[in-house]
Amino acid sequence: IYAFAVLLAQVVNDHMVDPGESNPLGIDDEAAAVKYFGSVQNTMLTLFMSISAGVNWENVLGPLKTISLAWVFVYLFFIAFTYFAVLNAGSWTW
């Protein structure tokens, strides 16, 4: 969780400081960005809540969609990898 949290928090906060030529975050997306990606700790909590049904993915994806579709795929890769590789490891029979 930590590696993905650092990556996503850095990307979102960099975009909030300097959006460059891409779209700036809207009011709702900026509020969501601060809430879900405002710090590494918040981002780790967001990722944990995402895999444990504690937060709606659509709310978390809002700022990432505005920044770049690539970051949406990174987030979805984290979810898929965690569900299928990490959480299913306990169900393997040896």
Side-chain angles (χ1 to χ4, degrees):
I1 288 181
Y2 179 75
F4 281 94
V6 169
L7 179 65
L8 292 173
Q10 184 70 43
V11 165
V12 172
N13 286 296
D14 281 351
H15 185 79
M16 288 175 59
V17 170
D18 182 22
E21 294 182 12
S22 61
N23 295 332
L25 296 176
I27 295 170
D28 293 337
D29 285 341
E30 189 168 342
V34 170
K35 179 179 180 180
Y36 296 121
F37 303 105
S39 67
V40 173
Q41 294 87 351
N42 285 353
T43 308
M44 288 176 65
L45 180 61
T46 297
L47 293 176
F48 177 75
M49 289 172 32
S50 295
I51 62 172
S52 61
V55 68
N56 188 345
W57 294 0
E58 188 175 0
N59 298 338
V60 177
L61 286 176
L64 298 177
K65 283 183 198 175
T66 302
I67 295 170
S68 173
L69 190 59
W71 296 113
V72 171
F73 287 118
V74 169
Y75 175 77
L76 294 176
F77 173 78
F78 168 79
I79 300 295
F81 177 78
T82 304
Y83 272 162
F84 298 119
V86 177
L87 296 179
N88 282 332
S91 65
W92 294 347
T93 56
W94 298 96

